[in-house]
Amino acid sequence: MSLKTRDDLTQLRLKCRDVVKAGGKRILVCAGSSCMSCGAEDVFDAFTKALGEKGVACSLEFELEGDRRAVGVRKSGCLGLCELGVLVRVDPVGYLYTCVKPEDCAEIVEKTIVGGEFIDRLAYSKGGLLCRCQDEIPFYSRQTHLTLKNCGHIDPASILEFISVGGYSSLEKALFEMAPDDIVQDISRSILRGRGGGGFPTGKKWEQVRRQKAEKKYIVCNGDEGDPGAFMDCSLMVGDPHLMLEGMIIAGRACGSDEGYIYVRAEYPLAVTRLRRAVEQAEELGILGKNILGSGFNFRININRGAGAFVCGEGSALTASIEGKRGMPRVKPPRTVEHGLFNMPTVLNNVETFATVPIIIGDGVDAFLKHGTAKSPGTKNFSLTGNIENTGLIEVPMGTTLRQIVYDIGGGMRGGATFKAVQIGGPSGACLTEEHLDLPLDFDSLTRIGAMIGSGGMVVTDDNACMVELARFFMNFTQNESCGKCIPCREGTRRMLEILERVVAGEGREGDVELLLELADTVTHTSLCGLGKSAANPVVSTIRSFRSEYDAHIRDKRCPAGACQKLKRYSIDPVACKGCSKCSRVCPVGAISGKIKLPFAIDGTKCVKCGACVAACPFKAVLAA
Amino acid sequence: METSIDLKVMDGIIDRYETKSSAVIAILQAIQEKWRYIPREAFPKLASRLGLSEAQIYSVATFYDNFSLEPKGKYVIKICDGTACHVRKSIPILERLRGELGLSRIKVTTDDLLFTVETVSCLGACGLAPVLTVNEKAHPAMTPDKASILLAKLREEEHNVA
Amino acid sequence: MEVKNRGMAIIDGMPVEIEGERNLLELIRKVGIELPTFCYLSELSIHGACRMCMVEDKRGNLAAACSEQPRNGMEIRTNTARLRKYRKNILELLLGNHCRDCTACGFSGKCKLQDLAMRFNIAGVRFPNAMSEPSVDASSPCIVKDKSKCILCGDCVRMCEEIQTVGAIAFSRRGSRMTIGTAFDIPLAHSNCVGCGQCAAVCPTGSILPRDDTGDVWRDLADTDNMMTVQIAPAVRVALGREFGLPEGENAIGKIVAALRRLGFAEVYDTSTGADLTILEESKELLERLADGKRHAMPLFTSCCPAWVRFCELRYPELMSEISTSFSPMHMLASVIKEQYRDVFRQVRHVAIMPCTAKKFERSRHEFSRDGRQLVDHIVTTRELVRMIKEAGIVFSELESEAVDAPFGAMSGAGVIFGVSGGVTEAVLRRVSTDKSPTALRRIALTGVRGMAGVKHSSITVDDREVRIAVVSGLGNAAMLIERIKAGEERYDFVEVMACPGGCVSGAGQPYAPQAQREMRGRGLYSADKLCNIRRAEDNPLMLSLYRGLLKGRTHELLHAHYKSSVQRTSITIRIRRGKPVSG
């Protein structure tokens, strides 16, 4: 099937809607990366099997013709509540089942699909609150889903489902009702800011590329989401790939480009598969290719896989990588909008930004401006992880406070632990503490306190987390991922890591903190690219908020959170010890001695703090302090 | 270990791409998918067909973490050390696996070419941290003990095959 | 074409006129501020990695001057307290990862890192040295590479890739594990390195140095059984003097001869004499090709430059048969000398003072051995000769000029200009031109063969036939020209190739000099030519006696090489940049 005109698409959409309306029940198995790792595939198979055994007709993909009473079984995009995977949604009622195992499927088919009953056992239930439908769960009801509106509600592998929920109607509008200038103007007016971290106004970028006279221009989508602890873009690419394709095609139309590239992180094989399939489907329907819907506009999209380099998330490194080179950022100017990919004017935005575009064009700028704050309108996706009750993928209006995210949506600290800090923005970001809980999160407020939205990874830590160790963790990451081109980042981060490793090992020296800050200053202000410029953020922000922890490590050789292995002091509780000698047998340095059946003792001067004795003791007699 | 590479197969792989230098990463990926690493024998061929020097290809191949110039194990175990996994203690899992297999940060593949253990910065499954993957199949909410059991299972499978 | 950037900028409070400077760094240096850099070289692409050239604007924003456009109204400071602190920190970080045995380094006193460490008064390094052990690749006869002295500025990589399109070395790995080297770190000698040494010429530290063979020369000089003979290449005389306080480009041949005698050389000759033989033999080849009635698709390529010959052998083996079989001037003279002293062959040692690292490779080629011995025993670069003179305690500036020795003491001006790009061609044109009037010399000089441009074209008429000529320097330009000839876009009869941009005056064995100074060297050679009473090779009376004497009937045996390419066509092709040639 190939759509030749706008009318063809409109007709197809109506037909798809009819099918959905007439259709029966649907089982949506969340196939986000977390649920997949919990066995979503097996759950999916179990459902088809259970339906077959019950003799219920089922359909596995969207069909325009076919048995309309058949129960649809689909793998959907990420439903967000990753902690409780595998998640299963039953439509049209909107029931949400959590922690579904393959063995639960027969029961769901029998009771819910056939019988129409709800199974309490599989419901979301926390703090005495039992929710049947997805919308009742506080985790969802406190969010605003724009880019995630289809995620978990449609089969991302089907372009027809996407079309049935209004997909590609913004493209229609952009192609047939708006001049390219109008599109750029709308994006400018929407104050859409790049969701990849920097927050650069997208409209301005598009405008600059649109103005360039060049034989070729490129639209590049940055799907190289490398922040450890962030998976929002992954979820979008996996859960609703057509939405970002639509955004890219609109960008192409607006800026006068006929070719796009999507650069996807290599660690996201599922995203690559989904995107490839989505591009193929769009090409088949004539939504990508030559003379799209008879508009005379041509656009094609290539998909490039990354090869494992965080720095390729930086614009010029990403384009270098597409060009087959080492992903080393280059100096600017010239800027990407002038000399980007293959030296041509290039629009480079990330997945979430492109996914927001069809929403602005479709719903209108004014509707978009109603979300978020005046200077940062719209919503932002975060991945909420760490020691929090509800980990997962969330979308909230810009300006939402940390407190709302951690406590209302996140459900508070896991097991009632004490909140300590939220690390936001990954290795480029900073730690937000108690005092920042009521800070409205947007680009500017975070920049003001020396943090960064980054791509939106949020890791919540409790008081068991050592902030020096966390800083070391990020520095280790950055140091590993530094491309090595400029001296301050290559050598500076290496030295900062050296110092931090020393500190967490109890070998810190007086003056180390000052040296760290001095190096941080140089690295921040002289590095070539954004990665280097922000590399010191985690260190500086933890020193600022948790200086006493640094001092405790350095002066007292003590880790206040009790997390640093090398600073632990092991002792044997003489009462609990039964003198079995297991500990002394596993000790690699012979630091434990004693007589059988009498309490053993650890020689602190020999102990290398490996913790082997703790694991070996059957009586929990080895104490670590 | 000497591996002889069928250069015809290599040509076939290169033929699927445009023979221009910008395709080098995609071609290296395809080669690695075929042989699980990039054999040294590939370099002269790639160089002459892509118009690059061997040093330039080596330069690209060593920049990216995903490329291996050494043969990898049949089972590639990747332990996620993203922030979420890290704060939920992924390192003890890594240490357990390395310990059981006699591997280290430098030696990542067992001599029998059965197991490769490496870390990865984030697999995007943070909700169920800590996570590890065995040849792309994810295993959520791991602990050192669960990792040992998994390893034993893989060894058993291997034993049964052999 | 872009409109030239104009306007006014204020640098450290001084108003400065912007006159089309390509970047802020050039503008700053124009006003006499030597902003420090490691990775900026005007002939290479902007790398922007060393971050030493950062400047601060009014609002306290920092930018690297090398990659910033000068803009009208711009107000910047180059030397604020902050900038000094950052520069010192960067230097300290570099020194923390660098061999600090300066006294034992062949580049001590010339090293940019050492210089800047002193300028910025780096009193100590607060980090443990991560690079205290040397990591040396001495496999190449031309250059020696020591990773422990590398600051990863990438100048060598860009030179090898952008100007020479060889790509023998590149960055490998990344971050703090990044190094510069060959594929799989194989020894340079086994790589596609052609030995041009331009990497060494641009290396700001002692990480890549021309190989030092002075020890062997001293040993031979000390052996009284040896009869030491030596020849001096044209480009050496205009580059060496500056190291002893003479003006750049001044012809110091007389003093060099005197110095060599004091070092113990019994006979001192001028490579220009050998160049005269090259001119005669190469012209003969050209005239034969022009007369053989065949339509040659490929031109006759010159053979003087060993890096070019090696490049051709590795990248274009099929073109080896199009390279002139005439020896390079060095081997012409060496061959004649060794033949002259045939009876005492075992005792005669011959040393060549060359501006070139690749000559060390040429010396060792099997094509240049006779009776199981190489024709040239040692190659000493200009830099090495400077060291030998200093080591011997010779006060160079006070030496009285001396003349070279008989029996090979005569040379033409045509032979002298071999040291600069276009010189070989001009010399050949003087030979093949049928017009032998003095004005013809001027006309030939004006045909476009002179100047530092990377690609030059010229043509003259010989026997009513237009002879089309190209002169290229820089191997990237050579590759580009060859691709165009192959594609049928150009046709030439004669092509001169010099691997080093601008010719031998820019050779890697020469003391490093920026482009303007290299031009002075070229000018020095042209004025030396003018001062010669013999301007054409065929007018050199020595030639006549040689051809009638020891060369009689033996020119083929004694003066021609047939390169047997043992190398298979390998991977050495590199993308050829189309379009604008790179000028030297």
Side-chain angles (χ1 to χ4, degrees):
Chain A
M1 176 174 32
S2 177
L3 308 171
K4 299 269 182 268
T5 62
R6 179 182 190 180
D7 198 45
D8 286 353
L9 177 57
T10 318
Q11 291 304 323
L12 177 67
R13 182 174 298 115
L14 290 174
K15 223 161 139 191
C16 291
R17 281 197 179 144
D18 282 348
V19 173
V20 174
K21 252 186 238 161
K25 289 175 177 152
R26 269 154 63 97
I27 300 171
L28 290 152
V29 179
C30 175
S33 47
S34 285
C35 288
M36 283 298 263
S37 65
C38 289
E41 204 79 54
D42 298 337
V43 170
F44 181 85
D45 292 343
F47 272 122
T48 53
K49 194 163 152 251
L51 287 166
E53 280 166 3
K54 276 274 153 202
V56 181
C58 77
S59 78
L60 298 182
E61 62 183 318
F62 192 92
E63 287 164 337
L64 286 172
E65 321 292 335
D67 182 358
R68 299 212 164 173
R69 286 158 310 156
V71 173
V73 187
R74 302 278 192 276
K75 283 178 217 160
S76 78
C78 181
L79 273 160
L81 201 52
C82 305
E83 182 81 37
L84 302 173
V86 175
L87 298 164
V88 171
R89 186 182 154 99
V90 181
D91 272 343
V93 279
Y95 288 161
L96 187 76
Y97 290 136
T98 61
C99 302
V100 177
K101 301 263 168 300
E103 48 273 28
D104 301 323
C105 295
E107 188 183 348
I108 295 173
V109 167
E110 186 174 333
K111 290 195 177 147
T112 310
I113 301 296
V114 180
E117 287 173 52
F118 185 79
I119 306 165
D120 286 356
R121 182 172 68 79
L122 296 169
Y124 173 93
S125 158
K126 262 184 190 167
L129 177 75
L130 186 142
C131 306
R132 294 182 161 210
C133 292
Q134 190 180 341
D135 312 337
E136 297 166 17
I137 303 172
F139 177 80
Y140 292 104
S141 60
R142 308 274 166 92
Q143 297 186 43
T144 307
H145 280 189
L146 295 182
T147 61
L148 293 179
K149 62 181 176 180
N150 300 327
C151 229
H153 297 255
I154 61 167
D155 175 4
S158 163
I159 190 170
L160 294 178
E161 288 207 19
F162 180 69
I163 289 173
S164 77
V165 294
Y168 289 117
S169 58
S170 299
L171 175 65
E172 277 182 48
K173 196 169 158 191
L175 286 178
F176 299 102
E177 292 168 32
M178 299 170 86
D181 274 330
D182 298 337
I183 306 172
V184 174
Q185 218 167 56
D186 269 14
I187 298 300
S188 293
R189 215 157 57 79
S190 75
I191 327 180
L192 172 63
R193 300 175 66 168
R195 298 317 200 217
F200 190 83
T202 306
K204 207 162 160 188
K205 199 181 266 183
W206 289 22
E207 173 64 42
Q208 283 164 347
V209 172
R210 166 145 191 79
R211 271 207 312 261
Q212 309 269 328
K213 287 187 181 67
E215 50 192 284
K216 186 91 189 169
K217 295 176 189 175
Y218 292 101
I219 306 294
V220 177
C221 175
N222 184 348
D224 191 49
E225 180 181 51
D227 284 24
F231 54 90
M232 301 80 56
D233 288 350
C234 177
S235 301
L236 273 175
M237 288 186 280
V238 170
D240 198 8
H242 285 286
L243 187 65
M244 56 166 280
L245 292 191
E246 187 177 3
M248 285 180 74
I249 309 171
I250 293 172
R253 167 73 170 168
C255 303
S257 159
D258 64 356
E259 188 165 1
Y261 279 84
I262 306 173
Y263 188 88
V264 190
R265 189 164 175 258
E267 286 75 8
Y268 294 164
L270 187 59
V272 175
T273 316
R274 287 276 165 81
L275 283 167
R276 281 195 180 140
R277 178 98 191 88
V279 168
E280 275 165 28
Q281 290 171 338
E283 280 168 352
E284 266 167 42
L285 280 188
I287 285 168
L288 272 175
K290 292 234 183 306
N291 192 15
I292 295 170
L293 300 175
S295 65
F297 173 63
N298 310 324
F299 198 74
R300 65 192 192 100
I301 289 180
N302 311 289
I303 295 167
N304 281 47
R305 274 185 303 157
F310 173 71
V311 67
C312 287
E314 199 274 349
S316 58
L318 186 147
T319 53
S321 185
I322 294 179
E323 291 167 14
K325 300 180 191 145
R326 289 165 68 85
M328 299 209 290
R330 62 159 175 77
V331 280
K332 291 170 195 162
R335 294 168 306 152
T336 307
V337 289
E338 294 158 353
H339 296 278
L341 184 60
F342 299 114
N343 227 357
M344 292 295 168
T346 300
V347 165
L348 178 62
N349 283 125
N350 85 330
V351 172
E352 199 181 327
T353 314
F354 280 124
T356 311
V357 168
I359 291 154
I360 296 170
I361 299 295
D363 300 349
V365 178
D366 295 323
F368 181 77
L369 288 173
K370 290 203 180 85
H371 303 284
T373 62
K375 283 193 173 162
S376 306
T379 55
K380 175 79 193 92
N381 298 353
F382 291 100
S383 55
L384 194 55
T385 58
N387 282 325
I388 191 164
E389 280 293 333
N390 304 325
T391 59
L393 171 71
I394 63 167
E395 181 172 8
V396 291
M398 288 280 186
T400 304
T401 64
L402 203 53
R403 190 182 300 281
Q404 286 168 313
I405 291 175
V406 172
Y407 290 96
D408 298 351
I409 298 172
M413 301 306 292
R414 177 182 289 215
T418 314
F419 171 85
K420 183 166 188 180
V422 173
Q423 211 286 340
I424 185 169
S428 309
C431 280
L432 305 181
T433 58
E434 194 86 42
E435 60 167 319
H436 302 119
L437 274 176
D438 293 306
L439 183 83
L441 297 180
D442 63 40
F443 292 105
D444 305 311
S445 65
L446 280 173
T447 309
R448 260 197 304 280
I449 59 161
M452 201 171 146
I453 259 185
S455 55
M458 241 184 217
V459 183
V460 184
T461 60
D462 59 27
D463 54 7
N464 284 319
C466 170
M467 300 320 262
V468 187
E469 159 57 25
L470 194 67
R472 188 213 58 84
F473 168 78
F474 280 116
M475 194 46 76
N476 184 48
F477 176 85
T478 314
Q479 209 273 327
N480 261 319
E481 296 296 339
S482 162
C483 81
K485 184 174 178 178
C486 77
I487 301 166
C489 176
R490 180 184 71 230
E491 303 294 339
T493 58
R494 173 224 289 252
R495 297 306 177 178
M496 290 178 76
L497 177 64
E498 233 169 58
I499 298 167
L500 288 165
E501 280 176 344
R502 209 162 63 206
V503 172
V504 297
E507 290 153 21
R509 299 196 279 261
E510 205 60 48
D512 272 351
V513 172
E514 288 68 28
L515 186 54
L516 276 173
L517 288 172
E518 183 185 335
L519 286 171
D521 180 34
T522 301
V523 172
T524 305
H525 290 104
T526 62
S527 286
L528 173 69
C529 79
L531 170 66
K533 285 186 165 84
S534 58
N537 282 355
V539 177
V540 175
S541 84
T542 48
I543 291 180
R544 197 169 43 217
S545 302
F546 301 98
R547 171 76 192 237
S548 61
E549 284 194 27
Y550 279 83
D551 290 341
H553 282 77
I554 294 169
R555 291 185 191 146
D556 314 333
K557 312 293 173 208
R558 184 176 64 82
C559 173
C564 291
Q565 192 73 14
K566 287 270 168 67
L567 292 178
K568 280 194 176 145
R569 281 175 209 143
Y570 291 97
S571 59
I572 294 176
D573 178 355
V575 181
C577 179
K578 304 276 180 258
C580 74
S581 88
K582 269 193 179 146
C583 54
S584 80
R585 277 180 276 145
V586 297
C587 180
V589 289
I592 308 177
S593 55
K595 286 210 169 78
I596 298 287
K597 293 193 177 161
L598 290 172
F600 275 54
I602 298 176
D603 179 350
T605 57
K606 285 188 188 162
C607 175
V608 291
K609 291 146 190 186
C610 67
C613 48
V614 182
C617 179
F619 311 106
K620 293 190 167 45
V622 184
L623 308 173
Chain B
M1 195 178 97
E2 282 296 311
T3 321
S4 68
I5 298 306
D6 188 346
L7 289 175
K8 264 190 236 124
V9 178
M10 175 101 62
D11 270 318
I13 290 173
I14 301 172
D15 286 340
R16 292 194 308 219
Y17 299 86
E18 286 177 86
T19 46
K20 52 181 189 186
S21 60
S22 62
V24 63
I25 292 176
I27 294 173
L28 288 173
Q29 283 168 335
I31 289 173
Q32 176 143 317
E33 267 154 36
K34 168 80 191 164
W35 285 284
R36 283 189 282 143
Y37 78 111
I38 300 162
R40 192 161 169 167
E41 295 93 315
F43 280 71
K45 166 123 305 216
L46 276 173
S48 66
R49 290 204 53 186
L50 293 176
L52 292 164
S53 73
E54 288 186 43
Q56 287 165 333
I57 297 172
Y58 183 73
S59 176
V60 171
T62 54
F63 184 85
Y64 297 98
D65 281 348
N66 292 167
F67 295 129
S68 172
L69 299 173
E70 311 268 312
K72 282 208 183 182
K74 184 175 170 191
Y75 299 99
V76 178
I77 305 175
K78 292 183 186 174
I79 292 102
C80 181
D81 195 30
T83 323
C85 291
H86 185 80
V87 299
R88 287 199 188 168
K89 312 277 181 239
S90 53
I91 293 300
I93 302 170
L94 174 70
E95 280 168 357
R96 172 72 67 90
L97 286 173
R98 277 184 181 159
E100 291 202 5
L101 292 166
L103 299 176
S104 67
R105 200 171 60 84
I106 293 140
K107 180 177 165 53
V108 294
T109 301
T110 53
D111 291 331
D112 57 6
L113 287 183
L114 215 47
F115 294 101
T116 295
V117 175
E118 48 194 36
T119 57
V120 55
S121 57
C122 185
L123 290 162
C126 314
L128 291 150
V131 183
L132 65 77
T133 61
V134 180
N135 295 347
E136 310 287 333
K137 188 183 172 1
H139 297 265
M142 291 306 285
T143 61
D145 290 342
K146 277 162 100 176
S148 296
I149 295 166
L150 181 70
L151 199 59
K153 230 166 76 188
L154 291 174
R155 275 179 169 148
E156 196 182 322
E157 267 172 39
E158 197 50 39
H159 187 74
N160 292 342
V161 172
Chain C
M1 199 60 212
E2 275 177 62
V3 189
K4 263 202 170 177
N5 193 4
R6 297 209 165 271
M8 288 293 260
I10 297 175
I11 295 170
D12 291 336
M14 291 179 287
V16 184
E17 199 182 344
I18 303 166
E19 297 166 303
E21 280 80 12
R22 288 180 302 173
N23 53 57
L24 193 51
L25 181 63
E26 286 189 355
L27 188 72
I28 291 167
R29 289 194 170 163
K30 189 175 75 173
V31 297
I33 296 167
E34 190 48 38
L35 211 55
T37 57
F38 286 112
C39 66
Y40 180 77
L41 283 172
S42 56
E43 63 264 44
L44 302 179
S45 65
I46 305 270
H47 195 50
C50 77
R51 319 308 287 167
M52 289 294 284
C53 70
M54 292 200 102
V55 293
E56 191 169 351
D57 73 5
K58 267 193 302 193
R59 285 178 299 170
N61 293 327
L62 303 183
C66 65
S67 53
E68 199 68 18
Q69 284 282 313
R71 285 186 309 273
N72 189 28
M74 185 171 226
E75 256 190 84
I76 56 137
R77 301 218 149 254
T78 67
N79 190 28
T80 62
R82 248 177 107 198
L83 291 171
R84 273 200 309 279
K85 183 177 78 185
Y86 294 154
R87 285 179 194 143
K88 284 180 85 138
N89 268 342
I90 290 172
L91 285 168
E92 189 183 343
L93 286 167
L94 276 181
L95 289 168
N97 193 22
H98 188 89
C99 164
R100 298 207 286 275
D101 279 342
C102 283
T103 47
C105 176
F107 210 51
S108 189
K110 306 260 176 206
C111 172
K112 232 176 195 178
L113 180 59
Q114 190 186 41
D115 173 49
L116 288 175
M118 287 197 281
R119 260 172 70 182
F120 282 86
N121 195 20
I122 307 295
V125 179
R126 288 169 286 178
F127 316 111
N129 195 348
M131 203 51 102
S132 43
E133 290 300 310
S135 163
V136 180
D137 175 359
S139 66
S140 160
C142 309
I143 52 172
V144 178
K145 194 170 166 298
D146 182 350
K147 282 185 178 172
S148 73
K149 292 172 185 167
C150 179
I151 57 168
L152 299 165
C153 66
D155 291 352
C156 53
V157 172
R158 281 174 295 142
M159 176 52 83
C160 194
E161 182 173 308
E162 294 173 8
I163 307 290
Q164 303 298 54
T165 62
V166 172
I169 48 172
F171 288 115
S172 57
R173 291 169 283 275
R174 69 167 191 238
S176 55
R177 291 176 301 280
M178 188 164 87
T179 59
I180 288 172
T182 54
F184 294 94
D185 283 318
I186 54 168
L188 270 169
H190 302 161
S191 75
N192 58 327
C193 170
V194 299
C196 72
Q198 284 299 307
C199 50
V202 295
C203 181
T205 70
S207 182
I208 309 181
L209 287 174
R211 191 184 187 82
D212 187 312
D213 294 316
T214 53
D216 297 341
V217 180
W218 284 121
R219 201 175 313 120
D220 271 359
L221 279 167
D223 187 340
T224 46
D225 285 347
N226 286 335
M227 176 187 153
M228 299 300 290
T229 62
V230 63
Q231 60 171 305
I232 307 151
V236 175
R237 68 202 60 185
V238 287
L240 182 127
R242 196 184 141 89
E243 295 294 302
F244 296 100
L246 302 183
E248 184 76 57
E250 186 167 308
N251 184 354
I253 183 74
K255 283 177 189 285
I256 297 172
V257 172
L260 288 169
R261 290 225 174 87
R262 280 173 203 220
L263 288 173
F265 287 99
E267 295 187 2
V268 184
Y269 299 109
D270 188 335
T271 311
S272 310
T273 307
D276 282 344
L277 284 169
T278 302
I279 297 164
L280 297 179
E281 290 302 309
E282 215 159 79
S283 303
K284 209 165 93 199
E285 281 182 71
L286 175 62
L287 291 171
E288 278 167 13
R289 279 170 83 104
L290 291 175
D292 70 2
K294 283 184 227 154
R295 204 183 144 76
H296 292 272
M298 280 290 156
L300 176 69
F301 289 98
T302 58
S303 61
C304 309
C305 172
W308 148 243
V309 172
R310 181 67 177 157
F311 180 72
C312 185
E313 188 172 24
L314 294 173
R315 169 119 44 115
Y316 301 109
E318 72 281 7
L319 292 184
M320 283 304 277
S321 54
E322 312 290 339
I323 288 188
S324 161
T325 56
S326 308
F327 277 6
S328 66
M330 174 182 87
H331 273 117
M332 286 281 183
L333 186 56
S335 174
V336 167
I337 290 169
K338 290 269 168 117
E339 190 56 27
Q340 173 81 5
Y341 293 116
R342 210 184 157 72
D343 306 338
V344 282
F345 191 74
R346 294 276 154 202
Q347 283 82 52
V348 176
R349 287 280 183 283
H350 188 63
V351 178
I353 314 292
M354 291 285 139
C356 178
T357 51
K359 284 286 171 194
K360 294 184 186 242
F361 171 70
E362 184 188 90
R363 184 202 80 81
S364 67
R365 289 189 76 116
H366 66 86
E367 290 91 344
F368 301 110
S369 68
R370 194 178 296 158
D371 305 336
R373 289 191 67 118
Q374 297 303 120
L375 292 173
V376 178
D377 296 285
H378 308 289
I379 304 284
V380 169
T381 61
T382 315
R383 291 203 213 180
E384 287 167 85
L385 181 59
V386 169
R387 259 199 307 278
M388 288 183 76
I389 293 171
K390 287 183 176 168
E391 200 172 337
I394 297 167
V395 183
F396 190 78
S397 57
E398 289 176 12
L399 289 173
E400 295 278 348
S401 289
E402 293 177 15
V404 295
D405 285 287
F408 308 117
M411 78 270 339
S412 75
V416 175
I417 56 175
F418 261 54
V420 59
S421 161
V424 178
T425 303
E426 190 171 339
V428 169
L429 290 181
R430 288 182 192 175
R431 168 75 184 108
V432 300
S433 166
T434 38
D435 182 355
K436 300 290 180 187
S437 66
T439 49
L441 287 176
R442 269 189 82 83
R443 233 182 11 253
I444 289 169
L446 294 173
T447 50
V449 293
R450 294 196 178 185
M452 296 295 270
V455 181
K456 296 175 276 192
H457 308 274
S458 174
S459 79
I460 64 155
T461 310
V462 177
D463 296 335
D464 297 330
R465 184 193 188 293
E466 191 199 17
V467 180
R468 292 170 55 86
I469 291 163
V471 176
V472 294
S473 64
L475 292 171
N477 289 330
M480 186 177 70
L481 191 83
I482 289 170
E483 295 297 333
R484 288 173 65 178
I485 295 171
K486 281 183 160 180
E489 292 165 28
E490 305 270 8
R491 200 192 63 76
Y492 293 102
D493 299 297
F494 183 82
V495 173
E496 173 196 316
V497 185
M498 294 293 159
C500 298
C504 307
V505 288
S506 314
Q510 304 268 65
Y512 177 75
Q515 186 173 336
Q517 284 176 30
R518 299 200 299 259
E519 278 185 58
M520 306 273 283
R521 293 174 184 171
R523 256 177 258 145
L525 287 180
Y526 284 122
S527 38
D529 166 38
K530 271 193 177 164
L531 283 173
C532 281
N533 47 6
I534 307 165
R535 304 288 298 281
R536 292 189 176 86
E538 70 269 27
D539 297 342
N540 181 350
L542 175 64
M543 295 299 118
L544 196 64
S545 61
L546 281 174
Y547 277 95
R548 284 186 180 160
L550 69 85
L551 291 175
K552 192 163 183 172
R554 301 181 64 197
T555 50
H556 197 80
E557 173 200 345
L558 296 178
L559 308 181
H560 287 264
H562 290 277
Y563 294 103
K564 283 187 265 323
S565 180
S566 55
V567 195
Q568 286 191 344
R569 188 189 178 89
T570 49
S571 50
I572 345 265
T573 34
I574 292 211
R575 60 188 96 129
I576 310 295
R577 278 171 314 159
R578 290 255 153 178
K580 245 179 64 190
V582 186
S583 51

